[in-house]
Amino acid sequence: MMVHRSEDGYRTLADGIRMKTLVYGELTILCEFKLEGGKKLPLHHHPHEQTGYVVSGRIVLRAGDDSFEAGPGDSWCIHKDVPHEAEVLTDAVVVEVFSPVREDYLP
């Protein structure tokens, strides 16, 4: 699967949190998140490993007992079933890979 960039296809996951599936295969799914400064991604967990990268902006990511302030170029990996949340410090764009594929994120 190969896809050209488009501004279409974003959906709201929470107040100030928008997500778009960029591409997916059998084992992974790549998603882009547009995060509004001052908003929070509520505490949650899921059975997917989650690897992320900050393209722009700043967030504070909390996973398990760890807290990490992340800016452009920073990355992380959250193991499956670990409770995590994020505080968006400034408008941000984050790209994340989930494995296995999150069926709830399929277009």
Side-chain angles (χ1 to χ4, degrees), residues 73-93:
D74 292 337
S75 56
W76 57 86
C77 183
I78 300 171
H79 296 290
K80 67 180 187 172
D81 296 319
V82 172
H84 55 284
E85 62 187 343
E87 179 182 351
V88 187
L89 302 177
T90 66
D91 287 357
V93 175

Side-chain angles (χ1 to χ4, degrees), residues 2-40:
M2 297 177 202
V3 179
H4 287 287
R5 177 150 179 78
S6 167
E7 286 300 318
D8 298 330
Y10 289 90
R11 61 181 163 152
T12 300
L13 296 181
D15 184 33
I17 310 293
R18 295 187 314 135
M19 184 276 297
K20 175 182 177 175
T21 295
L22 300 174
V23 68
Y24 59 93
E26 253 184 83
L27 303 175
T28 61
I29 187 168
L30 178 66
C31 301
E32 181 181 65
F33 295 84
K34 291 189 175 185
L35 312 172
E36 186 180 324
K39 302 297 183 177
K40 291 187 178 185

